Amino acid sequence: MLTIEVLRGSAKGRILSVETPTIGIGRAPTNQLTLSDYHLSGEHGQIFREDDQYIYRDLRSTNGSRLRRGGKDVILDGLERQEVVLEDGDELHLGDPTEPVILACRLRENTSPGANVWVQAQRTLDEFPRVAEDVARDTATAKKLLEMTRRLARRGRDLGAVFDGVAEAVFDLVPRATHMAVALADDEERRFTTIYGRARTGPFDGTVKVSRAVIARVQEARDAFVTPDASKEFGTSHSVLNVGMASTIAVPLWDGENITGVIQVYNRDSGDKFGYPDLDRMVTLAGQAALAIENARLFQRLRLAEEKARGENRYLKTREEKRRFADMIGDSPPMREVFRQLEKVIDTRATVCIEGETGTGKELIASAIHYQGRRRDKLFVAQNCAAMPETLLESELFGHRRGAFTGADHDKKGLFEIADGGTLFLDEIGEMPLSLQAKLLRVLQEGEIRPLGATTTRAIDVRIICATNRSLEQEVAAGTFRQDLYYRLKVFPLHLPPLRERRDDIPLLVDHFVRKYTQELKKPIAGLASETLDQLVSYRWPGNIRELDNEIQRLIIQADPESFVTPDMLSPQIRKVEGLLGRVAPKKGTLKDMMEEIERWLLTEALREHGGNKTKTAEALGITREGLHKKLAKYGM
């Protein structure tokens, strides 16, 4: 008997004894356990009895269910997993994960459904080899088994065909059998599920399943058996009553010491029961069937894994090819120079070192070099050298062999091997540890890698493109970057200008990001007010294109449909330029006086921005240090 007590929720304190085969739980008044809590579904779940067990099933509820047992949770979302067998002391947590309705489950009896089953005939797993030898001595049966083995071998890759072959063999070897079913254990939780059933003649109605009580009996006793009257031995089991079985044979499928499935054979004619000869033939058949089913399942898993890998590869390639040119926007003189340099280096093997501030689009340029070049049909693989600690980065780049270090329980390909024939983009190369720099130098010099734990090297053909927002010359001078590697990487340096040096491109980029996010968010807008665009162009963009991208996305989210983006919607740091023209505007006077006043203001702001450092101020203003001193002396600054 199962008793349910509501520990939390609108019906707290209510106790319900489960006496009917099935009870519904949820907000709908038709449920036996009606709970009015708003976050539950109308028909949230149900508890039903099967083979002396109580099972909770989530009915694809909106907020799902959880079973808490011994401090651990089992998630029941109706998709990945839908039901679970209840045990004494379980708690069902329904609905809102933070404030769920909690039901306590109490079982007066928790005996195994397979206990105390009387059997007419029995063979233990230890007896199976001897039984197979005895069966093989019968010439007629041996011929049938040989033919059955050949048929299964021919169907070996198709799991459905293998099941059909097993069913045909069952009905051929066991003349009294009227129905049969197969239950298999899943790979993770070893939970058995009936996945095949068949009748000897006539249409199959789908009600024949392997009884849960039979599965429990096979798991506990680890044997094959015959019971003469299933309804007496397994009581009022739902699956037994549905098929009206009288005599039944249950035989385990096994792999070494593990029971991987159960074949159950039914006879609905109570006057003609199974015996030892039937059982022994089924034991012999099960040995071949287990091997054929496992091979077919393995092939099925491998085929699904390959299809998934091919699909992911096609998706990644398609995604990269679609975006390889879409975001390369710019018509300013600095960007035209970048494009001119790209045309020179794309179809060469030269190592390219892309320099530029964070957010200038270094990876985008690297992917453009790959996808416009001769290696476009191979992989473009990117790795940020600052994103991993040294030990993990080495394994990620060069791979490892099983046992190379603690936790290395399988061989792993490194990114150099994965990108063989293609391009490997190493972002933030200046962050790479010195020990790995030596290994990278060897790859560039010798064209070969050695995975961790390997004793031999492997030749590879990979084009290296690296990027950095640091000055590698300064890193070399500081001793944190190898000079010989620096010269290997700087075969073709490519400088990406910051956004503040290509302000002519800002309107083009703004237009691109507006179209991108209005389509993505399905929110058309009227456009940007002219004052808004002026402030976007005037802002210095320390985060470069990435910062502009984020700002436009935020503006589109914030804007009302079909309205204009106004200056007050801009981020605070961008609105700081709002009063710039008012502060710079000189007093009325001659053109010479007004120009000098503006120049004085610009010099003051530049010095303030660079902390009084005149060298940096001169560089930012595009004049010499001597020229800056002359201007400061002119204005008495």
Side-chain angles (χ1 to χ4, degrees), residues 7-23:
L7 300 183
R8 178 195 288 173
S10 60
K12 180 178 179 181
R14 182 179 176 186
I15 298 176
L16 175 68
S17 294
V18 180
E19 297 177 352
T20 57
T22 304
I23 68 165

Side-chain angles (χ1 to χ4, degrees), residues 383-457:
Q383 174 60 48
N384 190 319
C385 297
M388 288 186 175
E390 179 178 350
T391 53
L392 291 180
L393 181 60
E394 183 175 6
S395 172
E396 192 72 15
L397 292 176
F398 299 96
H400 65 252
R401 295 291 178 261
R402 181 178 179 181
F405 51 84
T406 302
D409 55 359
H410 62 280
D411 290 353
K412 176 186 176 181
K413 286 186 177 182
L415 296 183
F416 277 105
E417 192 172 351
I418 292 173
D420 193 14
T423 303
L424 177 60
F425 173 59
L426 298 175
D427 199 6
E428 306 299 347
I429 189 71
E431 303 279 353
M432 180 176 284
L434 281 168
S435 59
L436 288 187
Q437 292 178 27
K439 278 200 163 190
L440 177 58
L441 180 64
R442 178 179 177 83
V443 175
L444 292 170
Q445 290 176 333
E446 309 295 337
E448 60 185 24
I449 60 169
R450 176 180 293 175
L452 291 172
T455 57
T456 58
T457 60

Side-chain angles (χ1 to χ4, degrees), residues 50-51 117 176-181 194 207-215 225-250 263-274:
E50 184 174 306
D51 301 334
V117 174
R176 298 177 182 85
T178 61
H179 297 76
M180 61 84 66
T194 300
T207 60
V208 177
K209 296 183 178 180
V210 179
S211 165
R212 294 179 187 268
V214 166
I215 293 172
F225 64 88
V226 174
T227 184
D229 192 338
S231 62
K232 290 182 180 179
E233 300 309 323
F234 301 121
T236 57
S237 166
H238 180 73
S239 54
V240 171
L241 292 177
N242 265 352
V243 299
M245 70 177 81
S247 183
T248 184
I249 300 175
I263 299 178
Q264 187 170 4
V265 180
Y266 310 131
N267 179 7
R268 292 185 177 181
D269 182 1
S270 59
D272 199 5
K273 304 184 188 305
F274 298 127

Side-chain angles (χ1 to χ4, degrees), residues 524-576:
I525 63 169
L528 272 65
S530 58
E531 297 87 349
T532 306
L533 185 59
D534 289 342
Q535 291 189 34
L536 291 173
V537 173
S538 301
Y539 182 57
R540 289 185 58 81
W541 300 108
N544 293 294
I545 299 174
R546 185 180 296 126
E547 185 182 3
L548 176 60
D549 184 349
N550 294 339
E551 179 68 15
I552 299 301
Q553 183 180 15
R554 190 190 65 79
L555 289 172
I556 300 302
I557 294 173
Q558 186 179 357
D560 294 327
E562 306 297 345
S563 66
F564 281 92
V565 176
T566 54
D568 60 289
M569 300 167 65
L570 293 169
S571 297
Q573 69 272 18
I574 300 176
R575 289 203 305 270
K576 288 181 180 178

